[in-house]
Amino acid sequence: MEPQTADRTKSPSTPSLDSLDSPAAPGPLASFVRFVVCGGGIGVLSSFAVPLVAMTMPWAVANAVITVASTLLCTELHALFTFGTGRRPGWRRHLQSSGSAAAAYAVTCAAMFLLHVIQSAPGMLTEQAVYLTASGLAGIGRFLVLRLFVFTSGRKGPLLPRRPVLPLPRPVLTQAVVVTTC
């Protein structure tokens, strides 16, 4: 009589291969390209939206409304598309993302303030160069914060894509096998 072996590959405690089909997070370069496309695209759209909304309310209020809306939209896009978490962000991630956006805003404001301290009347080209440089550096910093701290769940470590773990069946030792080997 042959010893019976149990098939443990279909036990309820072992995840099925279907559950491992969730999309893996993109690598660092792909994430950065997606970050630039999403964030930059929303930024360009926002720059057109602020003057339009400002026709119905004060400019500062319009800017604040568009900034909040674009930050919420970007956080959704970054969670689902840029960093590939596979699910929408919760309030914690929205707050962390808005914190990084506020820090980026502070960096660009500080750069413009320092420019005006150094040069009392800088030209428009100089202002644009300083603003775009500060904005680019702040964007890189924001990307790193989002990738390393905000959208990290499910990864083994920072900047490493998620890899599925395949369950292996455990060997089954029956009493007959143990008796014959001992």
Side-chain angles (χ1 to χ4, degrees), residues 18-82:
D18 295 343
S19 66
L20 299 174
D21 288 339
S22 62
L29 183 59
S31 289
F32 185 71
V33 169
R34 292 174 179 190
F35 180 82
V36 170
V37 169
C38 289
I42 298 299
V44 168
L45 292 174
S46 295
S47 69
F48 290 116
V50 171
L52 293 174
V53 175
M55 294 183 340
T56 62
M57 61 183 71
W59 189 90
V61 176
N63 189 29
V65 167
I66 296 299
T67 299
V68 168
S70 66
T71 300
L72 289 171
L73 178 59
C74 278
T75 302
E76 293 285 335
L77 289 174
H78 292 326
L80 296 171
F81 180 68
T82 302

Side-chain angles (χ1 to χ4, degrees), residues 46-140:
S46 295
S47 69
F48 290 116
V50 171
L52 293 174
V53 175
M55 294 183 340
T56 62
M57 61 183 71
W59 189 90
V61 176
N63 189 29
V65 167
I66 296 299
T67 299
V68 168
S70 66
T71 300
L72 289 171
L73 178 59
C74 278
T75 302
E76 293 285 335
L77 289 174
H78 292 326
L80 296 171
F81 180 68
T82 302
F83 300 110
T85 63
R87 63 184 181 275
R88 295 183 60 196
W91 285 108
R92 179 183 67 82
R93 284 189 170 156
H94 274 291
L95 288 173
Q96 290 172 327
S97 180
S98 65
S100 69
Y105 177 75
V107 166
T108 56
C109 287
M112 295 306 290
F113 175 76
L114 286 175
L115 172 64
H116 285 276
V117 166
I118 293 170
Q119 287 185 353
S120 59
M124 183 186 289
L125 187 61
T126 303
E127 282 183 335
Q128 280 293 86
V130 168
Y131 178 78
L132 291 175
T133 301
S135 184
L137 291 173
I140 291 170

Side-chain angles (χ1 to χ4, degrees), residues 158-179:
L159 300 177
L160 296 177
R162 233 180 355 177
R163 301 206 192 285
V165 177
L166 296 175
L168 297 175
R170 294 190 304 180
V172 177
L173 295 177
T174 63
Q175 185 179 8
V177 173
V178 174
V179 169

